[in-house]
Amino acid sequence: METNCHEHGACDRYSKLFSEYNVHLNDEKVSAEVAHLIEKNRDKYDTPEVLNTLLGTVELTTLQVTDSQESVLKFVEKVNKFADAHPELPHLATVCVYPNFAKIVSESLEADKVEIACVSGGFPSSQTFLEIKTTETALAIHDGATEIDMVLSLGTFLSGDYETCADEIAELKAVCGERALKVILETGALQSAELIKKASLLSIYAGADFIKTSTGKISIAATPEAAYVMCQTIKEYHAKTGTWIGFKAAGGISTVKDAVDYYTIVCELLGEEYIKAGLFRIGTSRLANLLVQAITGTDEKPF
């Protein structure tokens, strides 16, 4: 990997960070560990209680090129109607939209305790000027976004310029203030467990409140292996610092079985209290209806 640090100290700083953790992971070993963990534990989580919990982790998402003020308003109205019709079920965690729709969501969302997330910072490629990233983020927050999802600058990361990557995350976190910042690693583009772990560590130490698998805009999205590495990193960071970082799986999670698999990984590595604290999220546009159907035993498609 090419190394291109702005200053020698920056290289040393991140080399030191990575040396404090086991980043030299074997992909085949990780795959075997994940398969064993799921096979051994999955059945105990395939329960009605877990399905209810999973519904409460959903970040209902619309990130289409055809999104419009009208379509997003209808999208939010479905969330409102569902909350009114099913007060006995958990509320969704979040509604996730492009930044230009933050205002209409904030003005029309009536469901209690549902956050408003916006993808920001040149989503999904992160290929734009830092000034644009910070301005876009500030505008989204001004219009009502309560959470921000940004994409790690992958080209910069893969070239070894960790300082620039970390500075960008820190700048967007400064704009977010107390609002949660999720850093999307785009793990399918990173391709190896070692790079996923390094990207996780860099993002966490730069200020991420959550680390997130994917944008859903490339062919390889969330995988159990990526989730396993990211959750292991969160667990190790917590052991060192006492601080919990959130985890969001997103991209290609389209069946209840997929959701239970991810729940199994998170619960086994990070615990039930972690999930109860709202630190586990699933970004999806399809899964929510399937979870409602599985919970209610009907063909209902509220979203």
Side-chain angles (χ1 to χ4, degrees):
M1 182 186 295
E2 179 188 354
T3 300
N4 178 27
C5 298
H6 291 312
E7 51 183 285
H8 183 66
C11 292
D12 288 346
R13 178 159 55 251
Y14 290 101
S15 294
K16 182 177 184 298
L17 169 62
F18 298 149
S19 74
E20 294 173 358
Y21 294 82
N22 176 24
V23 298
H24 302 297
L25 304 178
N26 178 281
D27 292 333
E28 291 182 359
K29 185 178 179 182
V30 168
S31 294
E33 289 173 353
V34 173
H36 177 71
L37 183 149
I38 292 174
E39 182 179 1
K40 179 181 177 182
N41 298 288
R42 185 188 189 283
D43 287 349
K44 68 184 177 185
Y45 297 119
D46 196 359
T47 67
E49 292 77 18
V50 166
L51 295 183
N52 270 272
T53 299
L54 282 167
L55 183 61
T57 71
V58 166
E59 296 201 4
L60 195 67
T61 303
T62 181
L63 297 172
Q64 304 299 322
V65 295
T66 52
D67 286 345
S68 65
Q69 295 289 315
E70 293 76 16
S71 70
V72 171
L73 179 58
K74 289 178 181 178
F75 175 78
V76 175
E77 287 174 347
K78 289 179 181 179
V79 176
N80 293 336
K81 288 178 182 177
F82 176 76
D84 290 341
H86 290 284
E88 78 284 2
L89 294 181
H91 62 80
L92 301 179
T94 311
V95 171
C96 184
V97 297
Y98 282 114
N100 50 313
F101 299 117
K103 186 173 183 180
I104 193 168
V105 175
S106 66
E107 290 175 346
S108 59
L109 183 64
E110 298 172 355
D112 288 341
K113 299 179 181 179
V114 178
E115 301 290 344
I116 303 169
C118 285
V119 294
S120 186
F123 180 92
S125 68
S126 196
Q127 298 285 14
T128 191
F129 301 102
L130 178 58
E131 292 84 355
I132 300 296
K133 295 180 181 184
T134 55
T135 300
E136 184 180 37
T137 301
L139 288 169
I141 290 170
H142 177 268
D143 280 354
T146 59
E147 299 181 354
I148 294 294
D149 292 29
M150 67 168 286
V151 183
L152 179 71
S153 290
L154 285 168
T156 305
F157 174 81
L158 291 171
S159 72
D161 187 357
Y162 303 130
E163 185 81 351
T164 295
C165 288
D167 285 350
E168 284 195 354
I169 293 168
E171 290 227 22
L172 265 69
K173 178 56 188 172
V175 175
C176 290
E178 294 299 312
R179 298 168 185 82
L181 175 67
K182 308 186 201 92
V183 177
I184 306 168
L185 307 185
E186 199 68 291
T187 54
L190 294 175
Q191 297 185 340
S192 75
E194 178 172 340
L195 287 175
I196 291 169
K197 184 147 192 182
K198 286 181 175 180
S200 298
L201 287 168
L202 184 146
S203 299
I204 290 169
Y205 275 87
D209 299 296
F210 280 73
I211 50 176
K212 174 180 170 181
T213 56
S214 316
T215 62
K217 300 299 185 182
I218 68 171
S219 58
I220 302 174
T223 65
E225 291 79 10
Y228 181 83
V229 172
M230 293 166 72
C231 289
Q232 282 281 21
T233 307
I234 290 167
K235 183 177 182 179
E236 292 172 29
Y237 178 76
H238 177 261
K240 284 182 180 289
T241 67
T243 299
W244 283 118
I245 300 298
F247 168 70
K248 179 177 174 180
I253 304 171
S254 57
T255 70
V256 173
K257 179 184 180 301
D258 290 340
V260 175
D261 285 350
Y262 283 100
Y263 184 98
T264 301
I265 293 168
V266 175
C267 201
E268 285 297 308
L269 292 181
L270 302 175
E272 189 176 8
E273 291 304 315
Y274 177 91
I275 295 172
K276 287 181 178 178
L279 292 169
F280 172 41
R281 305 277 187 81
I282 296 177
T284 181
S285 58
R286 293 173 286 181
L287 178 62
N289 281 336
L290 297 177
L291 284 169
V292 171
Q293 291 169 5
I295 291 167
T296 63
T298 68
D299 293 328
E300 186 177 358
K301 294 180 181 180
F303 307 113

